[in-house]
Amino acid sequence: MIQEIFGKIHPLVVHLPIGILVLAMILKMYSGYRYQQEIKTLMPLLLKIAFAACLFASITGFVLHLSGEYDDTLVHNHMYLGIGLTIMVVGLYFTFQHQRLQNVLWVTTAIILTITGHLGGSLTHGEHYLSLTKHEDIQKPKIDMNHSVVFSDVIQPILQEKCVSCHSDKKQKGDLRLDSYDHIIKGGENGAIILKGNSAESTMMKKIHLPESDEEHMPPKGKPQLNNDEIKLIVWWIDNSADKDKTIASLSPGPDIKPLLLGLSQQTSPKEVQLPKIGQADPKVIEALKKYGIIVHTVSQVDNYLTIDLTYCKDLTQSQLNELLPLKSHIIGLKATSCQLIDELIPIVSQMDNLTTLFLDHSNISDTHLSPLNVLKRLEFINLAHTSVTNAGLKQLKIPSLQKVYLYGSKIDKNSLSNIYDQFPTVYLDSGGYVVPILVSDTTEAISPDK
Ligand code: HEC
């Protein structure tokens, strides 16, 4: 109990000696080689307060270290330096009359303070907390449905992201490390956490399934949580005997797991599309479109691409739609949700050679409209939810750049979707039933689904 309290207090109180010592250092620098008179009277008091603060921080830190949850060398270095700093403050206080010694001691104190603080930061935030590259940016393997290994390519990256900050050689909460297969199998202070082949009886899954408010829930409340897809994948791995070396193919994932694996590979390495630079669109054309109720947004301040939203213009005529054509290369996102003019629209859309995102949900699109879209060489996302598109129509869609297709509420037969997965080995098909991840390539708010 007391360790828990100190564990929370220590990271707070350490800022106190840091603040006081920095203030003292500023005063020292301000007065130069010799203390000025007013600083000379103030300094001993500051040093006394700094000593009290250092002592308090050292004691809370020492008790925290007794809990043994932290990596040894890092903790020990941090601790010895912290105690060293306290002694330096004592030294500064008692050598106050020796100007030359004071200067040497202040420089040493500044150095020790910096290193102690840095090590402390490494303990709480992880060793790379100063690095500007986000951890997520560091290579994540792309999932290859034939050769990727379930544990190392799917499960380990999930644990790495959501668990290892507290369960590694640096920090071993619950005496548990989750940073290697052998450690995971070995378990924690209460023994094994995984019962191979039986996720329901595995301690790890029990903790994950507990309500977030429960103290034993993992990851603890307030920390980044596992999403449903990640939980399903871990369950799938454990139920398939939690093996270290088995490949995805050897476990032949069913239609419930396959889309999750594909989704994972998409989320972890979103493809960056490099669009060519393009000149400004004709403002007169844009003005005219706006008069018909068409919403036109520029994608960003730096380039001239546009997104178009037709949602609020039910009564457009063919000639009004044709006025989109002068902008055909500018349009990278088109939202035609609920559009009932698909016969007229598709020939126009198929000329939008830079189009990456296309919403046709709730529209009157049918199977015959899909093949004309195959000329769109940059299309990554298409929403066909709540349309009459069937498996036969989907089969005609042959767009290499395609990454995601939403099919929820369409006439797609989910049971025979697995054939279609073979046609779209790298496409994330969403037919409903689980949380839809936010589309990475969704460039503007204008085309987000809730608008
Ligand atoms: C913010 C820190 C933190 C994160 C992140 C975290 N844990 Fe924990 N974990 C703890 C603490 C603290 C304990 C010890 C709790 C206790 O003993 O009551 C613990 C204990 C456990 C235990 C029990 C070990 C045993 O033998 O009793 C399991 C299993 C576990 N964690 C799994 C996970 C998994 C899986 C994740 C990621 C999905 C995770 N933890 C993420 C802090 C964390």
Side-chain angles (χ1 to χ4, degrees):
M1 187 61 196
I2 187 122
Q3 275 173 8
E4 248 173 56
I5 297 173
F6 277 32
K8 293 220 170 73
I9 288 181
H10 179 73
L12 269 180
V13 298
V14 290
H15 294 98
L16 212 61
I18 295 176
I20 297 165
L21 284 173
V22 168
L23 174 65
M25 280 174 207
I26 292 170
L27 292 180
K28 168 68 186 144
M29 280 192 287
Y30 173 74
S31 42
Y33 189 78
R34 282 174 196 285
Y35 287 119
Q36 291 178 357
Q37 198 47 50
E38 61 272 32
I39 290 172
K40 208 168 182 173
T41 38
L42 184 64
M43 194 55 93
L45 176 65
L46 266 183
L47 286 172
K48 271 190 218 165
I49 303 173
F51 171 72
C54 280
L55 196 65
F56 190 40
S58 299
I59 292 170
T60 51
F62 184 77
V63 176
L64 181 58
H65 129 273
L66 290 179
S67 71
E69 273 171 18
Y70 290 86
D71 167 54
D72 283 357
T73 43
L74 205 58
V75 167
H76 285 153
N77 290 344
H78 173 69
M79 189 171 76
Y80 293 137
L81 282 168
I83 294 170
L85 191 65
T86 315
I87 296 170
M88 289 303 294
V89 173
V90 177
L92 276 165
Y93 182 79
F94 285 109
T95 60
F96 191 67
Q97 300 304 333
H98 305 265
Q99 293 288 352
R100 193 176 299 162
L101 195 55
Q102 283 281 299
N103 292 327
V104 178
L105 288 184
W106 271 121
V107 172
T108 322
T109 306
I111 294 170
I112 298 180
L113 181 66
T114 311
I115 303 175
T116 316
H118 175 72
L119 292 182
S122 302
L123 284 167
T124 23
H125 309 293
E127 269 182 282
H128 303 283
Y129 76 105
L130 279 185
S131 128
L132 287 178
T133 34
K134 278 204 217 133
H135 266 300
E136 295 92 293
D137 298 344
I138 298 167
Q139 33 89 32
K140 274 189 187 173
K142 195 166 168 72
I143 308 277
D144 166 342
M145 295 300 269
N146 294 321
H147 305 292
S148 290
V149 173
V150 178
F151 175 70
S152 54
D153 294 330
V154 180
I155 304 301
Q156 198 156 35
I158 298 175
L159 302 181
Q160 188 69 37
E161 194 180 331
K162 305 276 171 78
C163 318
V164 164
S165 59
C166 296
H167 296 289
S168 73
D169 58 337
K170 303 281 179 288
K171 265 193 197 177
Q172 299 174 22
K173 301 277 183 182
D175 233 350
L176 175 67
R177 284 177 61 170
L178 293 173
D179 53 345
S180 80
Y181 182 80
D182 292 337
H183 283 111
I184 295 169
I185 296 305
K186 180 167 155 259
E189 60 190 8
N190 297 312
I193 57 160
I194 283 182
L195 185 57
K196 291 185 180 182
N198 189 342
S199 63
E201 287 303 314
S202 298
T203 313
M204 177 163 126
M205 292 321 296
K206 284 185 187 164
K207 299 226 179 227
I208 288 173
H209 283 308
L210 283 170
E212 203 182 323
S213 54
D214 193 297
E215 255 193 39
E216 301 230 330
H217 170 82
M218 286 295 140
K221 193 174 163 191
K223 302 287 166 185
Q225 296 293 309
L226 294 169
N227 63 38
N228 286 340
D229 291 1
E230 292 169 334
I231 294 176
K232 277 191 199 163
L233 288 167
I234 300 175
V235 164
W236 173 66
W237 172 66
I238 296 178
D239 286 342
N240 282 284
S241 78
D243 196 88
K244 186 180 179 189
D245 300 314
K246 284 207 173 122
T247 58
I248 291 178
S250 75
L251 298 187
S252 40
D256 51 334
I257 292 298
K258 214 166 172 179
L260 305 189
L261 292 166
L262 288 168
L264 206 66
S265 74
Q266 305 275 302
Q267 280 168 36
T268 49
S269 51
K271 218 166 61 193
E272 279 290 325
V273 227
Q274 291 294 326
L275 288 167
K277 283 256 170 276
I278 194 162
Q280 215 179 354
D282 185 348
K284 281 200 206 97
V285 177
I286 295 179
E287 273 317 304
L289 292 174
K290 285 183 175 167
K291 286 211 184 87
Y292 311 142
I294 296 175
I295 299 171
V296 184
H297 277 289
T298 31
V299 171
S300 75
Q301 313 232 299
V302 289
D303 58 32
N304 295 306
Y305 285 104
L306 302 172
T307 61
I308 299 286
D309 187 345
L310 303 175
T311 316
Y312 304 104
C313 27
K314 295 222 168 18
D315 310 315
L316 285 180
T317 63
Q318 168 84 55
S319 69
Q320 287 170 334
L321 277 179
N322 281 342
E323 291 188 38
L324 288 169
L325 281 174
L327 302 178
K328 64 186 170 74
S329 297
H330 284 92
I331 300 173
I332 61 166
L334 177 69
K335 189 169 180 190
T337 298
S338 304
C339 178
Q340 301 302 313
L341 295 165
I342 290 296
D343 282 332
E344 292 77 14
L345 188 64
I346 291 292
I348 298 173
V349 170
S350 61
Q351 298 183 54
M352 298 178 178
D353 44 3
N354 286 321
L355 195 69
T356 59
T357 308
L358 179 58
F359 285 79
L360 293 169
D361 49 305
H362 299 87
S363 71
N364 64 341
I365 190 167
S366 66
D367 287 350
T368 52
H369 294 115
L370 286 168
S371 60
L373 298 178
N374 287 340
V375 294
L376 297 173
K377 293 290 172 266
R378 298 189 191 276
L379 193 67
E380 293 176 4
F381 169 83
I382 181 167
N383 189 336
L384 297 171
H386 299 284
T387 59
S388 57
V389 170
T390 71
N391 297 43
L394 200 57
K395 274 218 170 99
Q396 303 185 20
L397 209 53
K398 297 191 178 79
I399 305 177
S401 55
L402 205 58
Q403 295 184 9
K404 275 191 186 131
V405 183
Y406 285 1
L407 298 165
Y408 183 72
S410 65
K411 298 283 180 299
I412 296 284
D413 175 11
K414 273 192 229 167
N415 299 324
S416 52
L417 256 188
S418 50
N419 304 333
I420 292 186
Y421 288 133
D422 300 336
Q423 184 196 333
F424 295 107
T426 60
V427 177
Y428 181 41
L429 299 178
D430 181 286
S431 52
Y434 47 84
V435 182
V436 176
I438 291 166
L439 185 65
V440 189
S441 54
D442 218 356
T443 37
T444 75
E445 49 177 15
I447 48 174
S448 72
D450 54 345
K451 287 228 162 167

